[in-house]
Amino acid sequence: MSTSRRDFLRSSAAAAAAASLLTADRAQAAALEARQPLWSGDSDHRELAMRAIDAARAAGASYADCRISSARSQNIGTRERRVTNIGDNETFGFGVRVMVEGTWGFAASSELSADEVARVARQAVAQARANRRAMVKPLELAPIHHPPVPNGQWRSPARIDPFSVAIEDKVAYLMDANAAALAAGARFVNSQMFFLKDEKTFASTEGTVTQQTIFRAQPGMTVTMVSADNRDFQTRQSTDIQPKGLGYEHVLDSNMKAHAARWVEEARQKLSAKPVEVGRYDLILHPTHLWLTIHEAIAHPTELDRAYGFEANYAGTSFLAPPEQFLGKFRYGPDFMNVVADRSAPGSLSACGWDDEGVAPESFHIIKNGIFVDYQTTREQAMWLDWWYKSQNMPTRSHGCSYAQTWADVQFQRMPNVNLMPGERDLVWEDLIAATENGIAIVGDGSFSIDQQRYNAQFGGQLFYEVKNGKITGMLKDVAYQIRTPEFWNAMDMIGGQRSYELGGAFGDGKGQPSQSNAVSHGCPPTRHKQVNVINTGRQA
Amino acid sequence: MSSRSLRAVARHLSRAEAEAICKRVLEFSTADECRVTINSGVRANTRFAVNQISTAGDNYNAAVSIRAVFGKKVANVTVNRLDEAALRDAVQNAERIAKLAPDDPELLPELGPQTYQDAVVWNDATASLEPDARADAVRQITERARAAGLVSTGYLEAQAQAFAIANSKGLFAYQRSTGVAFTTTVRTEDGQGSGWAGASDNDFTRIDPRQLAERAIEKARRSVNAAAIEPGRYTVVLEPTAAANLIQLIGGALNARNADEGRSFFSKAGGGNKIGEKVVDERVTLYSNPLDPRVPANTVNGDGSPVGATTWIENGVVKNLAYDRFWAQRTGKQQSSTGGTLAMNGGNETVESMIASTQRGLLVTRFWYIRGVDPRTILFTGLTRDGTFLIENGRVTRPVKNLRYNESPIFMLNNLLAMGRPERVSASESGGPGQAIMIPAMKVRDFNFTSTSDAI
């Protein structure tokens, strides 16, 4: 990391140049994502991982895997003209998962030494043996669909390692953006940037050894306006900038300074916006908003562990259960609705070379022409759908949906990027508005809540526009819409084309016990949904 | 110190180990001021689904945070490698970053040595909960559920942690804490009924797995064939967990600075905050006390300041808001924080007596997916879950489908009809120990449900 002003200027220039390259050449970014040796890794890690799985095997494990991870994160927070936080965190450790006579065991430690990896491996075996007391049915793993990868390497398509950029540079960026917001009249402005670099080694008893370097970046700003009488305040969050699986170039591309005045003006307009009248409206949903609805009402209910009740005590089950009543039979939405899971889009948050079971992820349809056709699976879960895959002449294999948030957590089923594919017609946001007589157009994600089987949901947003006779006629406030999932998607009657497709996403999607976070993107175009129930959330204290 | 790790085989750092690391870090420091905080310990868990253990594990971690200050410049670095080289690197990294930071005009000098009350938050039984004991506790639920022809799912997590803080002005504190939560959701095999029970404590021996099993099994059986009812305003009897799910949201809104700045429910029209104003029913008193043995917590804050008891709302009137050191000095107030606990006084009613006095209403077990809608009123949305029942003419008559609400704990506490005795509950949505919270069951009128859900 540079420490001098000269170095700072040099790194800024390099960053800008690299970022422009990224913008100019997406194909090059995609090429970077290919499995090529970009991180030399640490040969000691490979050796220690092998020692862990050998120790597990010697203690009686029929299968074992070990993940060693060194994750560095950095968070810079500001408000108005001051820095509120500069934090730089590193966490390092390893986790060993074992299978003993059909039960799982897991243990982890932050002390990476030859003795400790062996001890932890034996402890994981002891955990598995203890768990046998409550075993009913032994688990099985589906085979992986590719030969073991003995020396796999993958790296996020990041052009600029955020940790190579001077703190001064980052602070200056946020301060410039804050100054622009204050100059535009913001009463309060908070801005921040967060970065993650996770370097992890995976090894299993099946001969797979992979090393991956994953980058994620999230810049953001919130402006607040307060009414003159102190009775009202409204905020605008920069949800048009979404988190990405990229490096510092994502911050530079976001150019918060250039957008700050607009966000201030939009927050100001919210103070005087017209309260929405409750009723049913045609909703036009921008990709910066719709990604979250997809996340809650499509991506989560199509997780197979939910369908089988494994999340019943926390994240919930799914209305798509039991699978035999829904697979290939359930109409999720109109014929033009196609939902595809993938981890291939450059810069998407869940992109990776292999999941945390050493499975190379594959793209697959979850909804095809409006019909629900598949769940997200891990190796253990794929076996549960053996009957379905056989009936479809498909191999029974994991879709590569295993992930653990850190070395200290056991891996389990987490969603890949789940995307609503664009329509065939070249429609954009403005086309959907022009085609609407009486509706509300919603931009940006806001509050969100959905029941434990993913039927009933309520969503807010950042900006709400009244649409009359094909035109935006003003801004509304206190808007939230409530849906029942199947009706909502079947009420979708317009969808944008490829040109209007964007990636949104979440850094901290929670699930599992202990609760773990997963980062995931959702690509989508804008959509229109007929006659959705809208409520007014404004009340007097 | 040798290059060998300071961590012993123990599952958290001892006082001597923590003190040695702090001392070493402070020796490495060249900053004007330096603060070291260490969080170490183990999180052990057993998870079960479909009447068998699905995953279990434990992890040990020890993270050292170093805060370096030069003049008005400050930065924080956290590492979990404890060898000398890693600690030295971390100190140097913190100092390098701090020097690059702009001046923080709100930065206050580090505190000198402080006096802390002895925390009462450690429990040996919780700290020594090993895999076999956890599996045995889980079996007390899974076997009962299986014998009843039902399907149990759940989670047991025990934490044993040590916190240490030291700085270059001679402050040092070390405290240990334990926490445990055990929750279960029992469903009927056909998925038509679901019941939940849970408990959280610092002492595992105060949690009875059999009682949890029986409560969840009974709820699951009783919730089958739920009928849909119209959304609207209902009188509700909230079991302690459901009440706590919502009351704890007030804790997050108590920030004094936000209130003074005009962006909080606690902001006063025209300027200032609502301290001294009556905001809820006069029977309500809300407080934090880390020395309350029912909801204990550490008595030292993250910045090294002592945490004492604070009353937030007394007899319905805002008594205090949470002031950090800076805002307390700026406004001439006392520093205060919840310290990770929240408790509310109660009444003498029982859930049964509140049901008996209800002509028509709903009995709620717990709430789910609670998310903020409007901070101006602390308005939240969410749903009932795992046991929602209709009350008619003083008795529970039938299960009803779950409902979505749009409601504020402030509105709720203005519509308070009756309260039970406060209980320590598991109010964390994720089922972990969460913050220590003790809230009574309560009966509330005009609770605002806005739609129904088909979810079971």
Side-chain angles (χ1 to χ4, degrees):
Chain A
M1 188 176 294
S2 4
T3 54
S4 71
R5 183 71 189 163
R6 179 176 294 175
D7 287 346
F8 155 61
L9 290 172
R10 194 163 54 223
S11 74
S12 298
S20 66
L21 271 176
L22 181 83
T23 308
D25 190 355
R26 294 282 170 188
Q28 211 169 351
L32 264 176
E33 201 203 22
R35 294 178 184 89
Q36 51 187 294
L38 292 169
W39 175 51
S40 60
D42 185 333
S43 58
D44 288 350
H45 292 183
R46 168 187 284 267
E47 196 175 307
L48 288 166
M50 298 310 292
R51 183 182 285 264
I53 61 175
D54 286 348
R57 204 159 17 202
S62 57
Y63 168 88
D65 58 43
C66 176
R67 284 176 292 111
I68 301 174
S69 158
S70 173
R72 187 170 172 199
S73 61
Q74 191 177 76
N75 192 2
I76 302 173
T78 75
R79 60 169 289 173
E80 288 89 63
R81 296 179 184 83
R82 64 176 278 257
V83 174
T84 54
N85 177 50
I86 297 177
D88 198 289
N89 305 306
E90 184 187 294
T91 183
F92 180 70
F94 69 99
V96 180
R97 183 179 66 153
V98 302
M99 192 197 301
V100 179
E101 297 173 39
T103 56
W104 287 126
F106 177 76
S109 172
S110 61
E111 186 169 296
L112 192 65
S113 67
D115 288 348
E116 181 73 347
V117 296
R119 184 193 71 79
V120 167
R122 289 192 293 270
Q123 191 179 344
V125 170
Q127 282 276 3
R129 291 221 160 90
N131 296 348
R132 290 198 77 249
R133 291 161 184 243
M135 189 182 81
V136 177
K137 188 180 170 194
L139 61 92
E140 295 176 78
L141 298 183
I144 54 176
H145 61 274
H146 51 79
V149 180
N151 187 25
Q153 302 216 339
W154 186 92
R155 186 181 190 270
S156 296
R159 288 298 181 88
I160 307 169
D161 182 340
F163 299 96
S164 72
V165 178
I167 290 287
E168 286 165 298
D169 194 358
K170 295 164 180 165
V171 168
Y173 178 97
L174 294 176
M175 285 299 158
D176 281 354
N178 288 8
L182 292 168
R187 175 79 170 268
F188 302 104
V189 54
N190 296 80
S191 63
Q192 67 284 324
M193 49 179 83
F194 175 80
F195 305 103
L196 173 75
K197 179 181 185 180
D198 188 5
E199 297 174 305
K200 60 181 176 180
T201 298
F202 171 92
S204 79
T205 44
E206 295 177 345
T208 292
V209 182
T210 62
Q211 292 180 316
Q212 305 189 69
T213 303
I214 291 172
F215 285 95
R216 294 186 184 125
Q218 181 169 32
M221 174 182 278
T222 301
V223 295
T224 304
M225 300 299 289
V226 183
S227 66
D229 62 2
N230 226 37
R231 288 178 184 276
D232 192 7
F233 62 93
Q234 295 286 341
T235 61
R236 168 68 160 115
Q237 294 168 14
S238 59
T239 53
D240 25 352
I241 299 171
Q242 292 285 329
K244 292 281 170 65
L246 295 172
Y248 193 71
E249 69 277 5
H250 180 43
V251 173
L252 298 174
D253 282 350
S254 298
N255 198 357
M256 292 205 301
K257 179 181 177 183
H259 298 293
R262 173 172 57 82
W263 294 328
V264 171
E265 178 53 28
E266 287 166 346
R268 184 181 284 119
Q269 287 174 18
K270 285 172 85 170
L271 276 179
S272 57
K274 189 167 71 172
V276 69
E277 287 185 23
V278 299
R280 288 188 172 271
Y281 294 85
D282 293 349
L283 296 186
I284 307 145
L285 304 177
H286 194 270
T288 55
H289 171 91
L290 184 64
W291 74 266
L292 182 53
T293 310
I294 292 167
H295 174 82
E296 300 289 8
I298 298 175
H300 274 310
T302 56
E303 296 169 321
L304 191 58
D305 52 353
R306 287 175 180 270
Y308 277 89
F310 279 66
E311 288 284 335
N313 190 49
Y314 170 42
T317 57
S318 171
F319 69 89
L320 297 166
E324 55 271 22
Q325 289 181 17
F326 287 86
L327 277 169
K329 299 172 184 169
F330 180 71
R331 176 160 287 282
Y332 223 110
D335 285 344
F336 62 78
M337 182 181 187
N338 284 286
V339 173
V340 172
D342 91 314
R343 293 184 193 264
S344 65
S348 59
L349 286 165
S350 82
C352 64
W354 297 270
D355 75 352
D356 282 345
E357 291 187 311
V359 176
E362 54 185 1
S363 290
F364 60 99
H365 269 87
I366 291 175
I367 298 168
K368 193 167 192 177
N369 300 329
I371 303 297
F372 170 60
V373 293
D374 212 345
Y375 293 91
Q376 305 156 48
T377 57
T378 62
R379 294 184 65 186
E380 176 186 355
Q381 294 171 330
M383 297 302 291
W384 306 345
L385 293 184
D386 188 47
W387 59 272
W388 167 247
Y389 296 126
K390 284 194 169 113
S391 76
Q392 301 299 302
N393 293 317
M394 292 165 64
T396 299
R397 66 193 197 197
S398 166
H399 283 315
C401 300
S402 177
Y403 178 78
Q405 71 171 359
T406 71
W407 57 267
D409 300 285
V410 69
Q411 59 270 61
F412 71 124
Q413 193 274 312
R414 299 312 314 264
M415 66 177 72
N417 305 307
V418 173
N419 308 320
L420 175 64
M421 305 313 289
E424 291 179 358
R425 295 175 61 198
D426 183 28
L427 299 176
V428 296
W429 173 248
E430 289 75 14
D431 296 324
L432 272 58
I433 289 171
T436 303
E437 278 183 35
N438 180 28
I440 298 172
I442 303 180
V443 175
D445 55 274
S447 73
F448 53 97
S449 171
I450 192 164
D451 69 41
Q452 76 274 14
Q453 289 190 314
R454 308 273 147 177
Y455 278 119
N456 173 309
Q458 176 174 311
F459 296 96
Q462 289 299 313
L463 305 172
F464 311 96
Y465 294 103
E466 183 180 54
V467 178
K468 296 279 187 194
N469 301 317
K471 289 190 165 44
I472 288 175
T473 54
M475 192 182 271
L476 300 169
K477 69 177 176 184
D478 301 333
V479 179
Y481 64 92
Q482 297 187 336
I483 65 168
R484 187 177 182 278
T485 299
E487 281 80 353
F488 173 78
W489 291 109
N490 279 286
M492 178 169 64
D493 73 335
M494 290 186 78
I495 189 164
Q498 182 65 51
R499 197 156 51 100
S500 62
Y501 183 87
E502 293 182 24
L503 278 184
F507 237 98
D509 174 40
K511 183 185 166 191
Q513 291 179 309
S515 183
Q516 297 188 38
S517 286
N518 183 39
V520 60
S521 294
H522 299 287
C524 59
T527 56
R528 188 176 75 174
H529 303 254
K530 299 292 284 182
Q531 295 299 291
V532 180
N533 187 41
V534 170
I535 65 167
N536 182 314
T537 59
R539 283 173 74 176
Q540 294 297 312
Chain B
M1 186 167 80
S2 73
S3 61
R4 183 178 165 274
S5 165
L6 279 175
R7 185 178 79 79
V9 178
R11 291 157 75 78
H12 59 274
L13 292 174
S14 68
R15 182 186 183 98
E17 289 170 328
E19 200 163 10
I21 292 172
C22 289
K23 185 166 175 256
R24 204 63 177 143
V25 168
L26 292 173
E27 283 170 1
F28 289 146
S29 170
T30 63
D32 295 346
E33 291 188 336
C34 181
R35 182 196 301 170
V36 194
T37 54
I38 307 174
N39 287 285
S40 68
V42 67
R43 287 179 74 186
N45 66 81
T46 299
R47 191 180 192 205
F48 56 105
V50 202
N51 288 335
Q52 66 179 347
I53 291 172
S54 55
T55 58
D58 62 56
N59 66 64
Y60 169 84
N61 197 13
V64 180
S65 292
I66 296 151
R67 176 180 157 98
V69 179
F70 291 96
K72 287 280 189 182
K73 299 172 182 294
V74 61
N76 298 280
V77 161
T78 302
V79 289
N80 71 339
R81 284 191 255 204
L82 307 186
D83 59 272
E84 217 173 86
L87 292 174
R88 188 190 295 273
D89 279 354
V91 170
Q92 288 174 350
N93 198 22
E95 294 184 353
R96 188 171 55 194
I97 295 172
K99 285 175 182 168
L100 294 171
D103 283 0
D104 180 355
E106 298 186 2
L107 189 72
L108 294 174
E110 286 292 305
L111 291 165
Q114 303 288 305
T115 304
Y116 307 99
Q117 293 174 289
D118 290 337
V120 289
V121 71
W122 178 264
N123 176 264
D124 284 338
T126 304
S128 59
L129 202 55
E130 295 296 329
D132 287 351
R134 298 201 306 270
D136 285 342
V138 164
R139 280 175 61 198
Q140 294 194 48
I141 293 177
T142 56
E143 290 184 358
R144 277 174 175 76
R146 191 159 52 233
L150 300 167
V151 182
S152 64
T153 306
Y155 182 61
L156 170 58
E157 178 177 327
Q159 298 179 354
Q161 308 284 335
F163 172 75
I165 182 167
N167 69 24
S168 49
K169 292 176 98 169
L171 179 147
F172 180 77
Y174 174 86
Q175 292 188 351
R176 299 188 307 166
S177 62
T178 53
V180 58
F182 197 2
T183 59
T184 183
T185 301
V186 175
R187 294 171 64 81
T188 57
E189 280 194 345
D190 63 2
Q192 294 304 303
S194 183
W196 178 90
S200 181
D201 211 298
N202 299 85
D203 179 353
F204 179 67
T205 63
R206 292 200 293 226
I207 294 177
D208 182 352
R210 286 170 302 180
Q211 191 196 48
L212 295 180
E214 283 158 15
R215 275 168 47 204
I217 285 170
E218 190 209 353
K219 285 248 164 92
R221 283 177 164 156
R222 285 171 61 194
S223 65
V224 172
N225 294 327
I229 59 167
E230 285 294 313
R233 290 178 183 265
Y234 283 83
T235 293
V236 290
V237 175
L238 305 176
E239 292 191 3
T241 299
N245 288 150
L246 299 182
I247 299 302
Q248 67 184 350
L249 305 171
I250 295 174
L254 288 168
N255 184 288
R257 185 170 187 171
N258 282 350
D260 292 342
E261 290 178 341
R263 43 177 167 170
S264 159
F265 162 75
F266 291 105
S267 301
K268 191 174 180 177
N273 63 46
K274 289 182 179 170
I275 289 179
E277 281 191 15
K278 182 173 177 297
V279 293
V280 292
D281 188 287
E282 62 191 19
R283 286 169 290 178
V284 173
T285 294
L286 203 60
Y287 61 96
S288 300
N289 181 2
L291 295 178
D292 185 331
R294 299 168 299 177
V295 275
N298 281 349
T299 55
V300 54
N301 244 339
D303 64 357
S305 55
V307 181
T310 304
T311 299
W312 308 108
I313 292 175
E314 188 171 59
N315 301 327
V317 175
V318 182
K319 190 83 174 171
N320 282 295
L321 292 171
Y323 287 85
D324 61 22
R325 270 182 77 206
F326 172 78
W327 204 245
Q329 284 199 8
R330 168 71 65 89
T331 55
K333 304 281 186 181
Q334 284 229 314
Q335 189 182 353
S336 57
S337 76
T338 65
T341 74
L342 197 63
M344 185 174 152
N345 65 332
N348 295 319
E349 297 253 21
T350 62
V351 168
E352 291 71 26
S353 69
M354 288 188 266
I355 291 168
S357 64
T358 302
Q359 200 63 24
R360 190 166 193 276
L362 297 170
L363 173 64
V364 179
T365 298
R366 69 164 174 152
F367 292 112
W368 156 249
Y369 221 127
I370 304 158
R371 295 293 184 274
V373 173
D374 190 347
R376 296 174 299 180
T377 53
I378 319 182
L379 187 82
F380 279 74
T381 190
L383 300 114
T384 65
R385 177 172 173 180
D386 303 320
T388 308
F389 304 95
L390 186 67
I391 303 167
E392 293 175 299
N393 300 318
R395 45 186 287 272
V396 172
T397 54
R398 58 188 164 126
V400 294
K401 287 192 173 183
N402 289 305
L403 293 141
R404 170 175 297 286
Y405 64 86
N406 275 264
E407 189 56 274
S408 159
I410 296 294
F411 299 150
M412 202 172 102
L413 291 177
N414 273 301
N415 292 335
L416 189 63
L417 295 171
M419 290 189 288
R421 293 169 62 83
E423 288 182 30
R424 173 85 183 256
V425 296
S426 170
S428 147
E429 211 164 66
S430 67
Q435 79 165 343
I437 185 161
M438 186 173 65
I439 299 290
M442 56 185 71
K443 181 173 162 181
V444 172
R445 66 178 165 78
D446 289 335
F447 194 92
N448 186 36
F449 292 108
T450 55
S451 56
T452 58
S453 161
D454 292 321
I456 296 167

